[in-house]
Amino acid sequence: MAWDATKLKDWQIAEEAEKNMPSVEELIEKLSLRKEEIIPYGKTPKVDFLKMMERLGDKPDGKYIEVTAITPTPLGEGKTTTTLGLIEGLAKRGKNVGGAVRQPSGGPTMNIKGTAAGGGNALLIPMTEFSLGLTGDINDIMNAHNLCMVALNARMQHEANYTDEELAKRGLKRLDIDPKNVEMGWVIDYAAQGLRNIIIGIGGKKDGFQMQSKFGIAVGSELMAILAVAKDLPDLRERIGKIVVAYNKTGQPVTAADLEVDGAMTAWMRNTINPTICYTAEGQPVMVHAGPFANIAIGQSSIIADRVGLKMFDYHVTESGFAADIGFEKFWNVKARLGGLKPNVSVLVATIRALKMHGGGPAVVPGRPLPDEYTKENLELVEKGCANLLHHLEIIKKSGIVPVVCINGFYTDTQAEIDLIKKIVGAAGARCAHSDHWLNGGDGALELADAVMDACEEESNFKCLYPLEMPLRQRVELIAKEVYGADGVDWSPEAEAKAKRFESDPYYADFSTMMVKTHLSLSHDPALKGVPKGWRLPIRDVLVYGGAKFLCPMAGAISLMPGTSSDPAYRRIDVDTKTGKVSGLF
């Protein structure tokens, strides 16, 4: 029986569900694993993916199901909740099913969005471990990333203090790094807007090289992107060495390998390549691997986790960050292409709350009560808001992946509102299912599970939006017009100069295009809801991730370091000092 999600907090449901969480031995038996394929780590073991692929590499892949969403409100529309609910629903239908979700960041966990553990009866457990570090992958990424910055600043200090001859005595050659052309900054896994722009090295000659620097959020680190796309440990090691840390005074890149820090960075990262096993509240296995934030990063669970999941499960469910314009676009044109994988179905999550916002409803503000329009029936707002849903549906159709629209049910939704959405989606030629997984777990997701199973039997005609041979500016123009609905692209002089340089250098020819854009609108402006018309996409800069092999055009004023709100979650998180149990997570 499902727990009463209208009365119990997520952490309370998790506490009850964890009483029945499978043991490692039960996991091994359920998935027909070998003991040596499991790496013990408390309640959440890792899967040794190399050993798994060695044994199962020739086994046919299961069905590959991706979960995305319409443009969300600032509260999120439940992609992870739907991912977990779908897994529970397919299990109720007797299917061998599992999935892969992204690692939660400390930024949203301690801020306004919560832990990305799902919610209600479609929840990931053990919730506390999942939310607060899990097996330490993000901590390892932070240490590896910041070690690289330590190496950079120390090298700049030594080159400022020593002559070429003195450097040679220490086995060093002058890299001649330009302090005004440093690509990397430091990372911390919180939303710390006060660290976006900093000065380091204040003091004397022994206190580091003085220069302007910056912090980003840890899950936006290039190392997280590398983890998401790496094939194995040798690939990870090679990619880390190619990270562009800065440029010298003649404009040539200075890499982690040039700083001789890439080996030590890999030492910090060596254990991160193996996915961690967690569970739905109903006991189905779900791998956790790689990170969130599709607006400023790749926003995908890893290729490694999907490759393993497709061998272990007959139905493998994975999720992409935010909406179809950014998370799904990166799944479509980057992750699936790099992984050589063919998706079968994409589930497009919509809520009546978000549709009403796009239909002209009042602003949804985190920490404030929802206006009445969102808790009472309003068919006019729903109908107008469906324009945003249909736009995202068309994005998925362009990929050739079979779409299924999921109405993620809230207990305030009315049947008339649900029926209206189903009618509109049906007229657009797509399947649509209403799902009450938050309220009822797997039993509430049976309609969705049936729609997905039916869609999996349809042929997927998957194709990428653009060939790798297409130049960067043409790719961005195509994404802006075909995915976002823009009239075109406006490049700042600096961004265009960089783009031309990348296009003229064959080294960057096979780099993926990784857009950086707000998740709160199809456009670059988070205030523009619905389906904006008559606008152009402004690109102000292009970042280069040499190890991940990404070129990252930055649209609008988006920052790589989010901010913390005035009413963050950490105000309500605490520990029972008698039992050590954490309360307040959501």
Side-chain angles (χ1 to χ4, degrees), residues 144-218:
H145 183 115
N146 288 332
L147 177 61
C148 190
M149 287 301 294
V150 167
L152 173 74
N153 190 253
R155 185 59 165 265
M156 295 172 74
Q157 175 193 4
H158 298 322
E159 290 191 12
N161 291 347
Y162 300 136
T163 65
D164 288 353
E165 184 179 10
E166 289 169 324
L167 287 172
K169 291 178 182 178
R170 293 162 172 80
L172 301 173
K173 68 175 182 178
R174 187 172 297 278
L175 297 176
D176 206 23
I177 298 158
D178 183 353
K180 294 185 178 180
N181 200 358
V182 175
E183 190 82 19
M184 280 181 72
W186 309 78
V187 294
I188 185 173
D189 201 36
Y190 293 116
Q193 59 266 47
L195 296 176
R196 285 173 182 162
N197 299 286
I198 61 173
I199 300 293
I200 61 173
I202 296 173
K205 290 178 67 175
K206 295 183 178 180
D207 297 318
F209 186 87
Q210 184 173 329
M211 64 179 189
Q212 183 175 344
S213 192
K214 59 190 175 183
F215 267 84
I217 195 161

Side-chain angles (χ1 to χ4, degrees), residues 31 59-66 83 86-100 280 284-287 305-306 308-318 344-345 347 448-458:
L31 297 180
K59 181 183 175 185
D61 287 348
K63 301 295 186 181
Y64 193 17
I65 303 156
E66 184 264 355
T83 298
L86 174 58
I87 292 170
E88 291 174 340
L90 287 167
K92 288 280 185 179
R93 290 299 193 212
K95 301 303 180 183
N96 170 28
V97 59
T280 72
Q284 289 79 41
V286 179
M287 287 174 286
D306 284 355
V308 171
L310 287 167
K311 300 301 181 185
M312 285 198 298
F313 311 125
D314 295 332
Y315 290 83
H316 174 70
V317 186
T318 193
N344 296 91
V345 170
V347 176
L448 174 61
D450 290 343
V452 168
M453 286 189 294
D454 183 55
C456 281
E457 297 308 310
E458 191 175 321

Side-chain angles (χ1 to χ4, degrees), residues 516-576:
V516 178
K517 183 185 80 69
T518 181
H519 61 290
L520 295 174
S521 172
L522 284 165
S523 76
H524 61 285
D525 183 351
L528 298 179
K529 304 302 182 184
V531 183
K533 301 294 184 184
W535 62 279
R536 295 177 66 83
L537 182 73
I539 301 296
R540 62 181 174 86
D541 198 4
V542 182
L543 304 181
V544 57
Y545 282 6
K549 300 183 75 174
F550 294 164
L551 295 177
C552 309
M554 299 187 71
I558 192 167
S559 172
L560 300 184
M561 171 57 84
T564 289
S565 76
S566 60
D567 187 27
Y570 62 68
R571 296 177 63 188
R572 291 167 287 281
I573 295 171
D574 209 337
V575 176
D576 184 328

Side-chain angles (χ1 to χ4, degrees), residues 356 373 376-383 414 417 420:
K356 287 178 176 178
E373 287 86 344
K376 295 180 180 178
E377 182 173 286
N378 191 317
L379 297 177
E380 181 182 0
L381 288 180
V382 171
E383 185 169 12
T414 70
E417 290 171 330
L420 175 60

Side-chain angles (χ1 to χ4, degrees), residues 107-171:
T109 296
M110 295 295 166
N111 200 2
I112 57 173
K113 283 199 70 178
T115 72
N121 288 287
L123 192 68
L124 197 78
I125 59 171
M127 188 178 178
T128 296
E129 284 78 4
F130 172 74
S131 306
L132 301 179
L134 200 60
T135 52
D137 290 354
I138 293 177
N139 186 65
D140 291 340
I141 285 168
M142 281 195 293
N143 282 328
H145 183 115
N146 288 332
L147 177 61
C148 190
M149 287 301 294
V150 167
L152 173 74
N153 190 253
R155 185 59 165 265
M156 295 172 74
Q157 175 193 4
H158 298 322
E159 290 191 12
N161 291 347
Y162 300 136
T163 65
D164 288 353
E165 184 179 10
E166 289 169 324
L167 287 172
K169 291 178 182 178
R170 293 162 172 80

Side-chain angles (χ1 to χ4, degrees), residues 352 377 379 382 413-422:
I352 288 173
E377 182 173 286
L379 297 177
V382 171
D413 300 343
T414 70
Q415 190 61 48
E417 290 171 330
I418 295 166
D419 291 343
L420 175 60
I421 298 167
K422 286 187 173 182

